[in-house]
Amino acid sequence: MKKYIYILFAALLFVGCSDEESVTVDSEVVGEWQLIQWNGDMADDFVVYLEFCSDGTFNLYQRVEYSYFERYAGRYTVDKGLLEGRYDDGTSWSYGFAVSDGGYTLTLTDQKSQEVNVYTRTTVPADVRNVAVTRSETGGKRFL
């Protein structure tokens, strides 16, 4: 009997010490997006995809400074028209957002610079997901 009590106690300690909170995001931003306009200009010279997952995580895939896609990841929250997040390296970001065109257009306005980025709902291509180099260090222009 003592053996089972110790196992139960150990299991409770393990569950109680988890660093990650389970977050569910019920928002129009959940989904996959592609950048189509950056600060009033068409995004023709680079390619950026965003993926907002319902568990509060995000992935940013971008081909901007290099000839290959880079992947950045982190966590985000949505509250009263504000989309805020933190990359895995600790760098934070904050955008006002609006979803329009029946849920197919996402407009993000940077809370510091007022830079406006417009995304359209799409699917992140499998070749982008499979080839993207994962980055966790700071540096380089990120589109969040």
Side-chain angles (χ1 to χ4, degrees):
M1 181 70 169
K2 282 185 182 180
K3 179 180 173 182
Y4 294 112
I5 292 174
Y6 286 122
I7 290 172
L8 179 61
F9 181 73
L12 288 173
L13 279 177
F14 178 75
V15 171
C17 293
S18 174
D19 289 340
E20 295 294 322
E21 285 185 32
S22 178
V23 175
T24 301
V25 178
D26 183 19
S27 174
E28 297 173 295
V29 302
V30 171
E32 300 173 19
W33 305 90
Q34 181 177 6
L35 180 71
I36 58 171
Q37 194 176 64
W38 173 63
N39 239 6
D41 295 324
M42 297 307 291
D44 295 331
D45 297 332
F46 44 85
V47 181
V48 177
Y49 292 99
L50 281 174
E51 176 184 34
F52 293 108
C53 303
S54 61
D55 66 355
T57 61
F58 74 89
N59 293 294
L60 166 66
Y61 302 92
Q62 65 179 42
R63 189 177 66 209
V64 177
E65 296 177 326
Y66 304 102
S67 61
Y68 54 86
F69 279 92
E70 298 174 282
R71 176 185 167 266
Y72 296 92
R75 301 194 62 75
Y76 76 99
T77 59
V78 178
D79 186 33
K80 298 177 185 168
L82 196 60
L83 180 62
E84 296 180 299
R86 184 174 303 275
Y87 288 102
D88 287 343
D89 70 2
T91 304
S92 61
W93 49 266
S94 179
Y95 285 83
F97 76 94
V99 178
S100 58
D101 297 330
Y104 287 96
T105 302
L106 172 65
T107 303
L108 299 178
T109 304
D110 188 301
Q111 295 296 283
K112 293 179 184 173
S113 69
Q114 297 304 304
E115 178 179 280
V116 176
N117 299 326
V118 180
Y119 294 82
T120 189
R121 192 174 291 277
T122 190
T123 299
V124 177
D127 60 330
V128 171
R129 288 181 190 279
N130 296 334
V131 178
V133 175
T134 301
R135 301 280 190 216
S136 61
E137 70 277 358
T138 58
K141 170 71 175 158
R142 301 179 201 175
F143 276 83
L144 275 183

